[in-house]
Structures are given as structure tokens and as C-alpha cells.
Amino acid sequence: MTAPRFLQIHTLTSYAAALLNRDDSGLAKRLPYGGALRTRISSQCLKRHWRLAEDPHALSQIDGAEAAFRSRELVTLKVIKPLRDAGIDSAVVDALEPEFQMALYGDKGVTRKSRQTLIFGETELRWLAAEAARLADEAGGDAKAARSLAEAWRKGLNKSLKAMTAAATLPGGLTSALFGRMVTSDPEANITAPVHVAHAFTVHEEEAESDYFTAVDDLSGDEPGADTIQETELTSGLFYGYVVVDIPGLIDNLGGDADLAGRVLHNLVYLIAEVSPGAKLGSTAPYGRAGMVLLEAGDRQPRSLAEAFRTPCPPHLGPAAQALSSQLEAFDRCYETGEERHVLSLANAPVPAAAPASLRQLAEWAGGLPARLVEGRAA
């Protein structure tokens, strides 16, 4: 077995009569592939539901995880608001705020509309709040002094947030450690994502219909007809999903903690297999679990198996699993990359060189990969 540098996670998941991910016009997102239009779920949508899932295997339930917040209002709510709540003179706080906004969001960050939505960890934000409180104390109630101190503080950062990130075990929290972070005001605060998520798409041509529905006014008496007439789109499909984890990159982002990386991978496998995008919950109950989960570990560059579905296949798990297995067999024959494989499948389609497993066994195997990598390097 080669060193488990990369973990690849392939899934096939079915949904019926749902609208999992919408575009700006309220219609299902789509993707042309192989000359056929497919229904699509964006990677952003998938990641959001995995990171926010309220689940026994939620990322927030992992010991050692640090919270993170994604917002345009990080400074307003996490740095400045505590000063106002503490009763510090409003003129002093008003003098401090613009400099802290610019420190995080850049020169145009003074106005909310001009800011980008950024993600920062709880520890980083506590450090910023402590710095703001320190400057307010040094100003001694003098707004002009507060403005001067804050300006000098911001310029002293040299457009770098190194001091802030150094104060955190997980800069940007666990979310940034997995999915990365970009800070336009300071590239040195960027975090490279070790978890790479592809857009999921249907293995067959799109299946969609326009759903006409009405709402009747319960208090309208004997007046006939609907009070509201509306239309929405519903789709059904079997989706191929693909995720790659750069295990060394994950360990590095977690401060070198291979044990924490193992717990993260353990939970991530559960989330990918069990957590569905949550649009239109009340009217579609869009809950599904993967009918097939294939895990691969190896040291060669990852490769998607999306090619298996370039020619649309029948919209059923069995043919889709067979198509995936055939593509995998072709890659094995030509490239001989030697990945170790484990598979959960509800279809009777053998997967080349893959050991059958339950979801629990898959998660436990994935969770052990970081320790194996570290041990292999030590040897």
C-alpha cells in the first residue's frame, strides 16, 4: 500500500421531487455535460450543509474544533459591539471602528456594502476584540487619541494578520482548515483548502417539471377559487458526487495534529453520505442517503470518475454503479495507480479491488489514514 496522501470520496445519491439548489431565477442549477443537460448541486451548497449540519457527526462536535464565522459584520458584531455593550464612550468606539474594519476588509471596508464576506475563527476575533479594548483603554476617553492609536495600530500590522493568526490554534477555525480562506486585504492570512469538492450532477439527463400549486384562504368564507397561484420547479435525479482530501494539507492546517485530522475525516465521511442539501424542506422533504460510497487512498494525483457518465446512463443505481466500476477498471488498466479502496453499495455491482464495508467501517478506515501517513513518514 502506498502512502495515503489523498483520500478520494465518490458517491451516488438519489433524490425525488426536490429543488436542491437554485439559481438566481429560482430554477434548479444545471450543467451541460456530454451533450446532455444535467441537474447540478454546487460545491458551495454541499459544503455549507456539511459544515452547518446539526448531526451526531457534526464538525462542531469534534473535540478540538474551533468555531468560525462567515460575515461582512465580523468587526461590527464581534469586535465593536462588545465595546458598546461594555459602556465605553461611543465617540471613542466610533473612532476605533473604521480602522478595524479596514484592517480586516481592506481600504474600502468602512462601508458594509463594499466589504467581502470573510470567514475568521473565534480565537482570531477574540484577539481583535482584545486589541480594540486595549486601544480604547489607552485612549482614556479621548476620541481623537483613539483614532490616532487605531490608525497607528493598523499601519503597524503592515497589512499582515500574522499576529492574529499566531494567536489561534486553528486560524480561521475548523471550517477554514477544511475549506480554505481568502483574505483580499492580506494574502498572508489566506488558507489553502485541503478539501476539494466538485459540483454534483445527475448521471442522466435532467428530469424536471414545473409544479403548479395554489394556496386557499381559510377565512374567505364561501368564496370559491384559490387565493394564491404559484409555480415552482421540481427535479429528480441520481447524482454523482466527488470529494478529494489532501491529507498532508489537512494535517498542516490543523497545526500538525494527525489525531484531530483523523476525527475530522471520520465525521466528514458520515456527513457526505448522510447530509442532504436542505432547500424547500417543508414542501419536498429532500432527505436522501448515498446508495454508493467509494473511498480511495493513494499517493498519485486524484482523478474524478465523472467520465463514467459523460454518456448519460439510465437513472438507476445499478447501471450507474456499473458504469462507475467500468470507468475505474479502465483507469486501473491504463494507469496502474494502486489505490486502496473500500466501498459501501446498495447495488450488486462489484468494484475493482474494493473491500465491501458499512458506513461505520468506511468512516473508521478514513479516520485512520492521517496516523498511517505520519507513521509512514517517520519510518
Side-chain angles (χ1 to χ4, degrees):
M1 168 59 189
T2 55
R5 179 183 172 189
F6 296 107
L7 171 65
Q8 300 182 80
I9 306 171
H10 311 266
T11 57
L12 291 172
T13 309
S14 179
Y15 298 97
L19 185 55
L20 300 172
N21 192 199
R22 287 172 276 187
D23 62 17
D24 57 352
S25 62
L27 300 175
K29 288 190 174 182
R30 288 171 164 82
L31 173 74
Y33 185 56
L37 204 58
R38 320 297 180 94
T39 307
R40 173 173 64 94
I41 309 172
S42 72
S43 58
Q44 297 93 324
C45 175
L46 294 168
K47 288 185 286 188
R48 176 174 174 79
H49 286 90
W50 297 338
R51 67 183 176 83
L52 296 181
E54 296 180 359
D55 186 87
H57 298 100
L59 297 176
S60 60
Q61 297 296 314
I62 298 172
D63 290 339
E66 291 188 7
F69 304 92
R70 186 188 304 268
S71 177
R72 294 183 184 185
E73 301 281 25
L74 294 173
V75 171
T76 306
L77 299 178
K78 294 294 183 178
V79 178
I80 298 303
K81 186 175 183 296
L83 300 182
R84 299 192 190 280
D85 292 344
I88 294 175
D89 184 86
S90 60
V92 170
V93 178
D94 290 343
L96 293 174
E97 181 173 4
E99 299 298 330
F100 278 82
Q101 297 284 13
M102 287 188 288
L104 220 62
Y105 294 100
D107 293 341
K108 296 181 179 180
V110 176
T111 61
R112 184 185 186 281
K113 186 176 181 179
S114 300
R115 300 173 203 150
Q116 287 188 319
T117 301
L118 297 181
I119 181 169
F120 278 84
E122 191 169 38
T123 306
E124 294 175 313
L125 295 170
R126 279 200 302 265
W127 181 86
L128 279 172
E131 287 292 283
R134 177 180 64 81
L135 295 178
D137 184 62
E138 290 180 12
D142 186 334
K144 185 175 181 180
R147 182 175 295 104
S148 178
L149 286 167
E151 183 178 2
W153 172 84
R154 178 174 63 85
K155 291 180 178 179
L157 288 178
N158 294 321
K159 297 184 179 180
S160 172
L161 302 174
K162 284 184 177 179
M164 183 176 66
T165 56
T169 305
L170 297 179
L174 183 59
T175 297
S176 293
L178 270 65
F179 303 121
R181 174 174 76 180
M182 184 179 72
V183 182
T184 54
S185 63
D186 182 4
E188 292 192 31
N190 292 348
I191 298 173
T192 300
V195 180
H196 311 155
V197 182
H199 294 238
F201 65 91
T202 52
V203 303
H204 49 81
E205 293 190 59
E206 65 169 337
E207 297 178 328
E209 75 159 1
S210 182
D211 179 37
Y212 169 91
F213 65 95
T214 64
V216 178
D217 189 333
D218 291 341
L219 302 180
S220 63
D222 295 328
E223 185 177 336
D227 181 64
T228 302
I229 299 175
Q230 296 185 36
E231 207 170 21
T232 189
E233 185 174 43
L234 293 178
T235 65
S236 298
L238 178 62
F239 290 81
Y240 170 68
Y242 180 57
V243 177
V244 176
V245 182
D246 177 349
I247 299 176
L250 177 62
I251 294 173
D252 288 345
N253 281 3
L254 297 177
D257 191 338
D259 181 63
L260 178 56
R263 296 197 300 274
V264 167
L265 289 182
H266 175 275
N267 283 24
L268 187 62
V269 168
Y270 270 101
L271 294 173
I272 290 171
E274 294 186 335
V275 172
S276 306
K280 297 180 74 67
L281 298 182
S283 58
T284 66
Y287 303 115
R289 290 186 175 174
M292 183 175 186
V293 182
L294 171 63
L295 302 191
E296 302 183 90
D299 65 345
R300 303 282 288 276
Q301 177 182 295
R303 68 328 172 229
S304 168
L305 297 177
E307 181 68 19
F309 310 112
R310 176 173 287 278
T311 298
C313 76
H316 306 291
L317 181 61
Q322 182 58 60
L324 187 148
S325 295
S326 297
Q327 183 66 43
L328 190 60
E329 185 176 14
F331 275 141
D332 284 350
R333 184 172 59 253
C334 295
Y335 292 97
E336 300 178 325
T337 47
E339 289 85 7
E340 181 180 355
R341 297 182 185 127
H342 296 260
V343 64
L344 172 162
S345 180
L346 302 182
N348 294 319
V351 178
S358 67
L359 183 58
R360 175 186 58 80
Q361 291 170 324
L362 290 180
E364 290 176 353
W365 177 74
L369 294 175
R372 283 175 50 184
L373 178 64
V374 171
E375 291 168 4
R377 286 178 169 180

